[in-house]
Short mmCIF file of all heavy atoms in Angstrom, two decimals:
data_model
loop_
_atom_site.label_atom_id
_atom_site.label_comp_id
_atom_site.label_asym_id
_atom_site.label_seq_id
_atom_site.Cartn_x
_atom_site.Cartn_y
_atom_site.Cartn_z
N ILE A 1 -25.64 1.25 -34.56
CA ILE A 1 -26.83 1.81 -35.21
C ILE A 1 -26.47 3.01 -36.09
O ILE A 1 -26.98 3.14 -37.21
CB ILE A 1 -27.86 2.23 -34.14
CG1 ILE A 1 -28.47 1.00 -33.47
CG2 ILE A 1 -28.97 3.10 -34.75
CD1 ILE A 1 -29.29 1.33 -32.25
N THR A 2 -25.60 3.88 -35.60
CA THR A 2 -25.34 5.15 -36.28
C THR A 2 -24.00 5.21 -37.00
O THR A 2 -23.80 6.08 -37.87
CB THR A 2 -25.38 6.32 -35.29
OG1 THR A 2 -24.28 6.18 -34.36
CG2 THR A 2 -26.69 6.33 -34.51
N GLY A 3 -23.08 4.35 -36.63
CA GLY A 3 -21.73 4.42 -37.17
C GLY A 3 -20.88 5.50 -36.52
O GLY A 3 -19.77 5.77 -36.95
N LEU A 4 -21.40 6.10 -35.45
CA LEU A 4 -20.74 7.23 -34.79
C LEU A 4 -20.41 6.90 -33.34
O LEU A 4 -21.03 6.02 -32.74
CB LEU A 4 -21.64 8.47 -34.83
CG LEU A 4 -22.07 8.96 -36.21
CD1 LEU A 4 -23.13 10.05 -36.06
CD2 LEU A 4 -20.88 9.46 -37.01
N GLU A 5 -19.45 7.64 -32.80
CA GLU A 5 -19.16 7.53 -31.38
C GLU A 5 -20.18 8.36 -30.59
O GLU A 5 -20.53 9.47 -30.98
CB GLU A 5 -17.75 8.06 -31.07
CG GLU A 5 -16.63 7.19 -31.63
CD GLU A 5 -16.52 5.84 -30.93
OE1 GLU A 5 -17.04 5.71 -29.80
OE2 GLU A 5 -15.92 4.93 -31.53
N MET A 6 -20.64 7.82 -29.49
CA MET A 6 -21.59 8.53 -28.64
C MET A 6 -20.89 9.62 -27.86
O MET A 6 -19.72 9.49 -27.49
CB MET A 6 -22.25 7.54 -27.68
CG MET A 6 -23.18 8.15 -26.66
SD MET A 6 -24.05 6.90 -25.68
CE MET A 6 -25.54 6.71 -26.66
N ALA A 7 -21.60 10.72 -27.62
CA ALA A 7 -21.06 11.79 -26.78
C ALA A 7 -20.74 11.25 -25.39
O ALA A 7 -21.41 10.35 -24.88
CB ALA A 7 -22.07 12.93 -26.68
N TRP A 8 -19.74 11.83 -24.75
CA TRP A 8 -19.31 11.37 -23.42
C TRP A 8 -20.11 12.10 -22.34
O TRP A 8 -19.56 12.74 -21.45
CB TRP A 8 -17.82 11.57 -23.25
CG TRP A 8 -17.03 10.65 -24.12
CD1 TRP A 8 -16.61 10.87 -25.41
CD2 TRP A 8 -16.60 9.32 -23.80
NE1 TRP A 8 -15.94 9.76 -25.90
CE2 TRP A 8 -15.91 8.81 -24.93
CE3 TRP A 8 -16.71 8.52 -22.65
CZ2 TRP A 8 -15.36 7.53 -24.94
CZ3 TRP A 8 -16.15 7.26 -22.66
CH2 TRP A 8 -15.48 6.77 -23.79
N TYR A 9 -21.44 11.97 -22.45
CA TYR A 9 -22.36 12.58 -21.50
C TYR A 9 -23.16 11.46 -20.82
O TYR A 9 -23.71 10.58 -21.49
CB TYR A 9 -23.34 13.53 -22.19
CG TYR A 9 -22.68 14.69 -22.92
CD1 TYR A 9 -23.35 15.33 -23.96
CD2 TYR A 9 -21.41 15.14 -22.58
CE1 TYR A 9 -22.76 16.38 -24.64
CE2 TYR A 9 -20.82 16.19 -23.25
CZ TYR A 9 -21.50 16.81 -24.28
OH TYR A 9 -20.92 17.85 -24.95
N TYR A 10 -23.26 11.54 -19.52
CA TYR A 10 -23.92 10.50 -18.72
C TYR A 10 -24.95 11.13 -17.80
O TYR A 10 -24.70 12.18 -17.20
CB TYR A 10 -22.86 9.76 -17.90
CG TYR A 10 -23.36 8.98 -16.70
CD1 TYR A 10 -24.24 7.92 -16.85
CD2 TYR A 10 -22.93 9.31 -15.41
CE1 TYR A 10 -24.69 7.21 -15.74
CE2 TYR A 10 -23.36 8.60 -14.30
CZ TYR A 10 -24.25 7.55 -14.47
OH TYR A 10 -24.69 6.85 -13.38
N ARG A 11 -26.12 10.51 -17.72
CA ARG A 11 -27.13 10.91 -16.74
C ARG A 11 -27.50 9.72 -15.88
O ARG A 11 -27.96 8.68 -16.40
CB ARG A 11 -28.37 11.48 -17.42
CG ARG A 11 -29.52 11.74 -16.42
CD ARG A 11 -30.59 12.64 -17.01
NE ARG A 11 -30.13 14.02 -17.06
CZ ARG A 11 -30.68 14.96 -17.84
NH1 ARG A 11 -31.67 14.64 -18.66
NH2 ARG A 11 -30.22 16.19 -17.82
N PRO A 12 -27.35 9.81 -14.57
CA PRO A 12 -27.68 8.70 -13.69
C PRO A 12 -29.19 8.41 -13.71
O PRO A 12 -30.00 9.32 -13.55
CB PRO A 12 -27.25 9.19 -12.30
CG PRO A 12 -26.28 10.30 -12.57
CD PRO A 12 -26.75 10.94 -13.84
N PRO A 13 -29.58 7.15 -13.90
CA PRO A 13 -31.00 6.80 -13.84
C PRO A 13 -31.63 7.23 -12.53
O PRO A 13 -31.04 7.04 -11.45
CB PRO A 13 -30.99 5.27 -13.98
CG PRO A 13 -29.74 4.98 -14.75
CD PRO A 13 -28.74 6.00 -14.27
N GLN A 14 -32.81 7.84 -12.62
CA GLN A 14 -33.58 8.31 -11.46
C GLN A 14 -32.82 9.37 -10.65
O GLN A 14 -33.23 9.71 -9.54
CB GLN A 14 -33.96 7.14 -10.55
CG GLN A 14 -34.75 6.04 -11.25
CD GLN A 14 -34.98 4.85 -10.34
OE1 GLN A 14 -35.64 4.97 -9.31
NE2 GLN A 14 -34.42 3.70 -10.70
N GLY A 15 -31.70 9.86 -11.18
CA GLY A 15 -30.91 10.83 -10.44
C GLY A 15 -30.23 10.26 -9.22
O GLY A 15 -29.79 11.01 -8.34
N LYS A 16 -30.09 8.94 -9.15
CA LYS A 16 -29.44 8.30 -8.00
C LYS A 16 -27.93 8.26 -8.24
O LYS A 16 -27.48 7.77 -9.27
CB LYS A 16 -29.99 6.90 -7.77
CG LYS A 16 -31.44 6.89 -7.33
CD LYS A 16 -31.93 5.48 -7.02
CE LYS A 16 -33.37 5.51 -6.50
NZ LYS A 16 -33.87 4.15 -6.18
N TYR A 17 -27.18 8.75 -7.25
CA TYR A 17 -25.74 8.84 -7.44
C TYR A 17 -25.03 8.77 -6.10
O TYR A 17 -25.63 8.88 -5.04
CB TYR A 17 -25.39 10.15 -8.15
CG TYR A 17 -25.53 11.38 -7.27
CD1 TYR A 17 -24.42 11.95 -6.65
CD2 TYR A 17 -26.78 11.95 -7.01
CE1 TYR A 17 -24.54 13.06 -5.83
CE2 TYR A 17 -26.90 13.06 -6.20
CZ TYR A 17 -25.78 13.61 -5.60
OH TYR A 17 -25.91 14.70 -4.79
N SER A 18 -23.73 8.59 -6.20
CA SER A 18 -22.84 8.69 -5.04
C SER A 18 -21.57 9.35 -5.52
O SER A 18 -21.31 9.45 -6.72
CB SER A 18 -22.53 7.31 -4.46
OG SER A 18 -21.77 6.55 -5.39
N THR A 19 -20.76 9.80 -4.60
CA THR A 19 -19.47 10.37 -4.99
C THR A 19 -18.65 9.34 -5.74
O THR A 19 -17.98 9.65 -6.73
CB THR A 19 -18.70 10.83 -3.74
OG1 THR A 19 -19.46 11.84 -3.08
CG2 THR A 19 -17.36 11.41 -4.12
N GLN A 20 -18.71 8.08 -5.30
CA GLN A 20 -17.96 7.02 -5.97
C GLN A 20 -18.40 6.91 -7.43
O GLN A 20 -17.57 6.77 -8.33
CB GLN A 20 -18.19 5.69 -5.25
CG GLN A 20 -17.37 4.54 -5.82
CD GLN A 20 -17.67 3.22 -5.12
OE1 GLN A 20 -18.74 3.03 -4.57
NE2 GLN A 20 -16.69 2.33 -5.14
N ASN A 21 -19.71 6.99 -7.69
CA ASN A 21 -20.22 6.95 -9.06
C ASN A 21 -19.71 8.11 -9.89
O ASN A 21 -19.31 7.96 -11.05
CB ASN A 21 -21.74 7.01 -9.08
CG ASN A 21 -22.42 5.78 -8.54
OD1 ASN A 21 -23.56 5.83 -8.13
ND2 ASN A 21 -21.72 4.66 -8.52
N LEU A 22 -19.75 9.32 -9.29
CA LEU A 22 -19.29 10.49 -10.03
C LEU A 22 -17.82 10.35 -10.39
O LEU A 22 -17.40 10.73 -11.49
CB LEU A 22 -19.53 11.75 -9.20
CG LEU A 22 -20.99 12.10 -8.88
CD1 LEU A 22 -21.05 13.37 -8.04
CD2 LEU A 22 -21.82 12.24 -10.14
N LYS A 23 -17.04 9.80 -9.48
CA LYS A 23 -15.62 9.59 -9.75
C LYS A 23 -15.43 8.55 -10.84
O LYS A 23 -14.57 8.70 -11.72
CB LYS A 23 -14.90 9.14 -8.48
CG LYS A 23 -14.70 10.24 -7.44
CD LYS A 23 -13.97 9.68 -6.24
CE LYS A 23 -13.70 10.76 -5.19
NZ LYS A 23 -13.04 10.21 -3.99
N MET A 24 -16.22 7.48 -10.81
CA MET A 24 -16.12 6.45 -11.84
C MET A 24 -16.41 7.03 -13.22
O MET A 24 -15.68 6.79 -14.18
CB MET A 24 -17.11 5.31 -11.54
CG MET A 24 -16.73 4.40 -10.40
SD MET A 24 -18.02 3.13 -10.16
CE MET A 24 -17.36 2.24 -8.77
N ALA A 25 -17.50 7.78 -13.32
CA ALA A 25 -17.87 8.38 -14.60
C ALA A 25 -16.76 9.31 -15.08
O ALA A 25 -16.39 9.31 -16.26
CB ALA A 25 -19.19 9.14 -14.46
N GLN A 26 -16.21 10.08 -14.17
CA GLN A 26 -15.13 11.01 -14.51
C GLN A 26 -13.90 10.24 -15.00
O GLN A 26 -13.29 10.61 -16.01
CB GLN A 26 -14.79 11.85 -13.29
CG GLN A 26 -13.74 12.92 -13.54
CD GLN A 26 -13.43 13.71 -12.27
OE1 GLN A 26 -13.30 13.12 -11.19
NE2 GLN A 26 -13.35 15.02 -12.38
N GLU A 27 -13.54 9.16 -14.31
CA GLU A 27 -12.38 8.37 -14.71
C GLU A 27 -12.56 7.75 -16.08
O GLU A 27 -11.59 7.58 -16.83
CB GLU A 27 -12.13 7.28 -13.67
CG GLU A 27 -11.59 7.81 -12.35
CD GLU A 27 -11.51 6.73 -11.28
OE1 GLU A 27 -11.73 5.55 -11.62
OE2 GLU A 27 -11.25 7.07 -10.12
N LEU A 28 -13.81 7.44 -16.45
CA LEU A 28 -14.10 6.85 -17.76
C LEU A 28 -14.17 7.90 -18.86
O LEU A 28 -14.28 7.54 -20.03
CB LEU A 28 -15.41 6.06 -17.70
CG LEU A 28 -15.40 4.81 -16.82
CD1 LEU A 28 -16.81 4.23 -16.67
CD2 LEU A 28 -14.45 3.75 -17.40
N GLY A 29 -14.13 9.17 -18.48
CA GLY A 29 -14.13 10.24 -19.47
C GLY A 29 -15.46 10.92 -19.68
O GLY A 29 -15.62 11.72 -20.60
N TYR A 30 -16.43 10.62 -18.80
CA TYR A 30 -17.77 11.19 -18.95
C TYR A 30 -17.93 12.49 -18.18
O TYR A 30 -17.31 12.70 -17.13
CB TYR A 30 -18.83 10.21 -18.43
CG TYR A 30 -19.11 9.07 -19.37
CD1 TYR A 30 -18.41 7.87 -19.25
CD2 TYR A 30 -20.07 9.18 -20.38
CE1 TYR A 30 -18.65 6.81 -20.11
CE2 TYR A 30 -20.32 8.12 -21.24
CZ TYR A 30 -19.61 6.94 -21.11
OH TYR A 30 -19.85 5.90 -21.96
N LYS A 31 -18.80 13.33 -18.69
CA LYS A 31 -19.38 14.44 -17.93
C LYS A 31 -20.76 14.00 -17.49
O LYS A 31 -21.54 13.47 -18.29
CB LYS A 31 -19.44 15.71 -18.78
CG LYS A 31 -18.08 16.33 -19.06
CD LYS A 31 -18.21 17.58 -19.90
CE LYS A 31 -16.88 18.34 -19.96
NZ LYS A 31 -15.79 17.53 -20.52
N THR A 32 -21.07 14.19 -16.22
CA THR A 32 -22.38 13.80 -15.67
C THR A 32 -23.30 15.02 -15.66
O THR A 32 -22.91 16.08 -15.17
CB THR A 32 -22.21 13.27 -14.23
OG1 THR A 32 -21.37 12.11 -14.26
CG2 THR A 32 -23.57 12.90 -13.64
#
């Protein structure tokens, strides 16, 4: 849509998370 790379920022839907999720996001390069 934009021709740009999206920022590496992630927000969990409904604020539902686990430590495993936070680690996954971190490994992929995201800040949660």
Side-chain angles (χ1 to χ4, degrees):
I1 290 169
T2 66
L4 302 171
E5 291 291 340
M6 175 174 268
W8 291 89
Y9 300 156
Y10 161 62
R11 173 164 285 160
Q14 303 174 63
K16 293 184 177 180
Y17 73 99
S18 67
T19 299
Q20 184 182 26
N21 291 159
L22 296 180
K23 287 180 178 178
M24 287 179 181
Q26 184 181 43
E27 289 173 9
L28 293 172
Y30 284 92
K31 289 180 170 59
T32 299

